[in-house]
Amino acid sequence: MSLLRHGLRPAPLLWGVAVAVPLGFLAVFFAWPVAALVVRGFVPDGALDLTGFAEVLSRPRTWRLVGLTLTQAVLGTAFSVLLGLPLAYLLYRRSFPGRSLARGLVTVPFVLPAVVVGVAFRALFAPGGTLGFLGLEESLAGIVVALVFFNVSVVVRTVGGLWERLDPRAEEAAASLGAAPARVFRTVTLPSLAPAITSAASVVFLFCATAFGVVLVLGGVRYGTIETEIWTRTTQFLDLRSASVLSILQLVVISAALAVSARARRRREAALHLVSARRTARPLSWRSPADVAASLAGVAIVAGLIVLPLAGLVARSFREPDGSWGPGNYVALGTTGERNALVVTVWEATATSLRIALAATLISLVVGGLVALVVSRRPRSAGTRRAIGTLDGLFMLPLGVSAVTVGFGFLITMDQPVLGLDLRTSGLLVPVAQAVVAVPLVVRTVLPVLRAIDPRLREVAAVLGSGPGRVLRTVDLPIALRSLGLATGFAFAVSLGEFGATSFLARPDGATLPVVIYRLIGRPGAENYGMALAASVVLAALTATVMMVAELLRDDRAGGEF
C-alpha cells in the first residue's frame, strides 16, 4: 500500500532541516577551509596561476607517489577485510567469557597516535627487533602491516554490528536443505553482509590512502604518499601551490573510489529481517569446524597483529632512562618533562582530550545521525535518489582530504568570527575539526542498519495511525539504537586519537594527549621518550575503557525484536 496514502511522508520542513543542518556544517567547516587553502595556493599574488598543475603533474615523482598511495590503500583494505571477517563472526555471532574485553581490545589500535604506532612497528622490524628477521624495515609490506593493525577494527565493528542482528533462520533453512556451511556463508550470509562490508572497505580505503604518521615513520626516504608529500610541501618548503595541486589530485582519487564504492553498495542493498542479538549469538562450540577455524584465526590475528605491538609498547614504557625497569615514566607524567618539554602535564592534556572528545562526539552524532537518516530513505523519484547518493558521497570527503589541508584551512578561515561566534576563544575550534573527521564514521556505522529496515514496518505503523515523527521514534530509532551506541564509541575514540588537524589548532596550554605525545617524541632526552611511551599506554587504556563501556551500555533490550 502506498506510503503517501497513509501519511508516511514527513513534513517537508522537517526533512529540509535534516538536510540543511549537515550541509551547512559541511560547507562552513570543511568546504570553506579547504577551498580557502587551495585558492591561496593558486592565487599567490592576487592573480590566478594554474601553471602549478602542469608542473606538478609532469613530475615522475608525483605519479610514483600516486601509485604507492593506491597500492598501499588497496592492499591495506584487502587484508583488513580478510582478517576482519573471522573476527567479526567470533566477536558478534558467538558468545564466550570476556567477549566485551576482546571487542575493546580489537578497537584500541584504531585510535592510537599514528606516529607512536609507527615507532612501535619500527622497533619490531628493526634488525635487532622481535621481527627483524623478516626484513620489513622501510618496506611497503611493513607499512601495510601497520595499516591493517589500524583498520581491522573498522571491519570488525562495522560488519559485526549488522551480522549480530541478521535473522539466523535463513541460514538454518539453507543448512536443513543440505547446504554445506561454506555454501551457506557464500550464498546466504555474505550477500546480506555485502552492504556493511562495502561500507567498511570504503572507510578503510580512505584511511589507508590518507595515512600520514605510519608512512612518515616506516617509509623512510623510499616510500611516501600524496599525504606525506602535501605535508612536506606545506611545512618544509611553504610551497602552497604544489600542495594545492596535490590536495586536488588526492580529492579526485578519493572521489573516484567513493563513487565505485557507492555503486557497488547500491547494487547489493536489500531490506533485511533484523532480530535481537540475543537470538543470534550462540555459545562457542568446539564441535563446529567453523567455530574452531574462526577461533584459531581470531587468536592468531589478535596475538600476532594486535597484542604483539601493544605488548612491546607496554614493555618499553616501563624501561626507565637509566636502563632499569620500573614505573618512573608513569610517575613523570605529572611533570612537564625533561627541560620543560611541555607546557602542560600529560594528565592535564588527558583531561583536555576527554572534554574535547565529548564535545566532538555530540556534534558528530547530531550531524552524522541526520545524514544517515536522510540517506537511508528509498524515494521513488530517480532525481531524489541521485541527490541522496550525492549527499552520502559528500560526507565521506573529509576522510579523503589531508588533515594538514583541513588544519591550515581552519587557521586561514577561522581567524575571524563565524556567524557571530569566535571559535578561537569559544573552545569549539578543535572539537569542530575533530567532528569533521568523525561524522563520516557515524554515517557509515548507522547507515547499513537503517537501510536494512524493511519498509513494511513503517507502512504498518502508518496504517495504525502513527504520524511521521512517531514512525521515526518507534520504528527507526529503536532499531538504530545499537548502531548509535557503536557510532558513539567510534566518534569518541577517533576524537581522542585525532592528531593531524588538532596539531595545528590546539594551543600549547590546551594540547590534547596525542599532540603531547608527538611533542615528547620530537624532543631530545630519554626521559621525554619514556614519557611518550607511557602516555601512549594511557591513551590506549583510556580508549579500551571507552569502547568496553560503550559495549556494556548497548543494551539489546533497547532494540527489541524485529
Side-chain angles (χ1 to χ4, degrees):
M1 192 172 291
S2 171
L3 301 182
L4 298 178
R5 190 177 306 168
H6 297 289
L8 192 54
R9 173 181 287 177
L13 178 61
L14 295 178
W15 282 117
V17 171
V19 173
V21 170
L23 282 179
F25 178 85
L26 186 72
V28 174
F29 298 116
F30 174 71
W32 181 28
V34 172
L37 183 62
V38 172
V39 168
R40 178 165 295 193
F42 290 137
V43 189
D45 300 315
L48 184 63
D49 181 9
L50 298 179
T51 58
F53 273 102
E55 180 183 342
V56 174
L57 297 181
S58 63
R59 298 172 185 166
R61 174 179 174 82
T62 298
W63 297 108
R64 184 173 65 85
L65 292 173
V66 170
L68 287 172
T69 300
L70 293 177
T71 299
Q72 76 171 36
V74 170
L75 291 176
T77 302
F79 282 106
S80 294
V81 172
L82 289 175
L83 298 181
L85 288 180
L87 277 179
Y89 171 82
L90 188 65
L91 297 178
Y92 287 88
R93 203 68 174 184
R94 291 295 177 261
S95 62
F96 54 89
R99 185 175 67 164
S100 295
L101 178 63
R103 288 180 178 181
L105 177 62
V106 169
T107 307
V108 170
F110 181 67
V111 294
L112 285 178
V115 174
V116 174
V117 172
V119 171
F121 272 94
R122 188 167 186 172
L124 286 177
F125 297 151
T130 305
L131 302 179
F133 65 93
L134 297 176
L136 298 180
E137 187 179 26
E138 293 191 6
S139 68
L140 179 62
I143 294 174
V144 171
V145 170
L147 291 177
V148 175
F149 169 87
F150 266 121
N151 294 300
V152 70
S153 62
V154 177
V155 178
V156 172
R157 300 188 68 88
T158 303
V159 176
L162 179 60
W163 203 342
E164 70 174 343
R165 299 184 68 82
L166 287 181
D167 191 339
R169 287 178 293 183
E171 298 171 340
E172 294 168 356
S176 66
L177 294 175
R183 187 175 182 182
V184 172
F185 176 77
R186 188 178 68 255
T187 59
V188 179
T189 308
L190 195 58
S192 299
L193 295 176
I197 294 174
T198 306
S199 293
S202 63
V203 173
V204 172
F205 183 89
L206 291 179
F207 283 136
C208 292
T210 58
F212 174 64
V214 167
V215 179
L216 200 65
V217 175
L218 296 179
V221 297
R222 294 179 54 194
Y223 294 95
T225 61
I226 300 176
E227 182 86 359
T228 59
E229 188 71 3
I230 292 173
W231 177 81
T232 301
R233 291 291 168 182
T234 303
T235 61
Q236 296 186 12
F237 299 105
L238 297 179
D239 184 4
L240 293 183
R241 186 174 66 169
S242 295
S244 299
V245 173
L246 291 171
S247 296
I248 292 177
L249 182 62
Q250 185 182 53
L251 190 59
V252 169
V253 171
I254 294 302
S255 299
L258 287 177
V260 173
S261 171
R263 183 173 181 179
R265 187 174 62 249
R266 285 194 298 268
R267 292 177 60 183
R268 291 170 171 80
E269 283 176 348
L272 302 173
H273 186 214
L274 303 180
V275 298
S276 167
R278 295 181 179 179
R279 291 179 54 184
T280 63
R282 298 284 190 272
L284 195 63
S285 173
W286 295 111
R287 296 181 179 180
S288 168
D291 286 8
V292 172
S295 299
L296 294 177
V299 170
I301 294 168
V302 172
L305 184 65
I306 298 176
V307 173
L308 182 60
L310 291 179
L313 179 65
V314 172
R316 293 183 62 184
S317 70
F318 284 97
R319 193 69 179 265
E320 298 189 4
D322 61 1
S324 61
W325 297 91
N329 292 327
Y330 291 90
V331 174
L333 296 183
T335 70
T336 55
E338 187 176 352
R339 300 179 182 177
N340 290 323
L342 304 173
V343 177
V344 296
T345 67
V346 169
W347 299 124
E348 291 171 336
T350 301
T352 300
S353 291
L354 290 172
R355 184 173 62 253
I356 290 175
L358 179 60
T361 299
L362 293 176
I363 296 171
S364 61
L365 285 177
V366 172
V367 176
L370 290 175
V371 173
L373 183 63
V374 173
V375 173
S376 66
R377 303 300 97 172
R378 294 187 178 91
R380 296 180 179 179
S381 168
T384 306
R385 288 198 300 270
R386 286 193 295 269
I388 286 178
T390 301
L391 182 67
D392 186 16
L394 285 176
F395 276 88
M396 289 293 285
L397 291 180
L399 295 180
V401 175
S402 168
V404 175
T405 301
V406 175
F408 268 122
F410 264 67
L411 292 179
I412 293 173
T413 56
M414 305 299 169
D415 59 344
Q416 54 187 348
V418 178
L419 302 178
L421 177 63
D422 190 349
L423 295 177
R424 298 169 301 173
T425 59
S426 68
L428 289 176
L429 191 61
V430 176
V432 167
Q434 293 182 354
V436 169
V437 178
V439 163
L441 291 178
V442 174
V443 175
R444 291 271 71 82
T445 303
V446 177
L447 187 57
V449 175
L450 285 178
R451 278 180 167 163
I453 297 176
D454 192 333
R456 290 174 296 182
L457 293 176
R458 302 187 183 103
E459 293 183 20
V460 169
V463 169
L464 295 176
S466 298
R470 188 173 181 182
V471 171
L472 290 175
R473 187 173 66 255
T474 59
V475 177
D476 292 75
L477 184 59
I479 296 177
L481 273 179
R482 289 179 62 81
S483 61
L484 282 174
L486 174 60
T488 300
F490 259 137
F492 198 92
V494 168
S495 298
L496 279 178
E498 205 284 324
F499 170 73
T502 306
S503 64
F504 293 97
L505 301 175
R507 298 189 302 268
D509 59 346
T512 62
L513 190 52
V515 173
V516 163
I517 293 170
Y518 177 75
R519 290 177 181 172
L520 287 170
I521 290 177
R523 297 298 177 89
E527 181 179 339
N528 290 332
Y529 186 71
M531 286 178 60
L533 296 177
S536 300
V537 174
V538 170
L539 180 56
L542 185 61
T543 303
T545 301
V546 168
M547 296 308 301
M548 283 187 286
V549 169
E551 285 289 344
L552 294 175
L553 292 179
R554 289 172 62 202
D555 187 357
D556 187 57
R557 290 173 296 179
E561 292 189 8
F562 308 97

